[in-house]
Amino acid sequence: MTETLQGKIIEGEFRSPHNGFQQAPGSIHNDEVAAKLGFKGGTVPGSVHMDQFAPLLVETYGTDWFARGNMSLHFTQATVDREEVKAVMEAASPRSRLTMFNREGVQVCIGTASGQTRDPESEMTRRMAAQAPAEALRILAGYKVGDVNTDIPMRIEREALEKSLSRITERLPLYDEGILPPSHLVRLAHISRPTVLAKVNQSVGLFGALEIRIADGPLKADHDYVGRTTMLKLTESPKTENAWYDVDIADAATGKDVATVTFMIRFMKASSPLWAKPA
């Protein structure tokens, strides 16, 4: 970070993120499913909002952020297709503060970012530490802290990346070189979902928080990676059961870890038949 950026407020423009998963059956991104759970429509994935912070990260940390950087977001308000939102960064050391708002001034997410791989005081790290472990889970009853899955093949095809670049909120020149945007780093790690969440009972989930930690990037399309997952914590709220887990991504050729994505997925109790009856 340059000295001139220290303490500076950097704002992006209002953008209209697209919900590209509207047709996914049984998904929170589907209008009908979301409406039944009290949302105003199918939600835009939180990972998509990460892309709006990318220009601010590059302005603050340079393109080196894609080689070894950190971004951590906690989502406070779901948005719907084409709803306008603005990304804001307060540049600071050792970490910058991130916020996003819609046109009405409602906060969509809050978080942190840094030019280092790991931030011990990142938004997600602090929030996870403050959560009490769940005592009586139903949706996530088949899980325990420390559960591990290994050898998960991961790859984003260049064709898939180029197709999504036509609707990305902030298109940076480096994406045309095949470098994965933040949303696609999450997408790469999310390939592990059918494995890591295979024992989840019937329910609808959505991203509650996401953290990207890049150790040896940039990560690229048309490249083979392999993932392993570790369950970090299981928590609950009056409306949700929450799974917090790491997805460590290694280069398939060398076996070297290159990045980690931490997920907090909220499973809606109202969507599960297990919460429609007494325990």
Side-chain angles (χ1 to χ4, degrees), residues 25-87:
S27 166
I28 194 66
H29 310 304
N30 178 278
D31 280 343
E32 183 178 356
V33 174
K36 288 180 179 178
L37 293 170
F39 293 86
K40 56 186 177 182
T43 64
V44 174
S47 55
V48 170
H49 291 314
M50 287 183 144
D51 290 335
Q52 272 184 253
F53 289 104
L56 314 186
L57 295 171
V58 170
E59 183 175 349
T60 304
Y61 303 110
T63 56
D64 280 352
W65 184 88
F66 285 87
R68 56 192 64 83
N70 177 295
M71 175 165 47
S72 185
L73 294 180
H74 172 77
F75 301 103
T76 54
Q77 175 72 38
T79 65
V80 296
D81 187 52
R82 309 298 182 182
E83 180 177 349
E84 290 187 303
V85 291
K86 175 190 280 193

Side-chain angles (χ1 to χ4, degrees), residues 14-15 40 77-80 83-87 99-109:
F14 274 103
R15 302 296 189 199
K40 56 186 177 182
Q77 175 72 38
T79 65
V80 296
E83 180 177 349
E84 290 187 303
V85 291
K86 175 190 280 193
T99 50
M100 179 173 281
F101 300 91
N102 66 12
R103 281 284 188 184
E104 288 69 45
V106 176
Q107 180 182 280
V108 173
C109 65

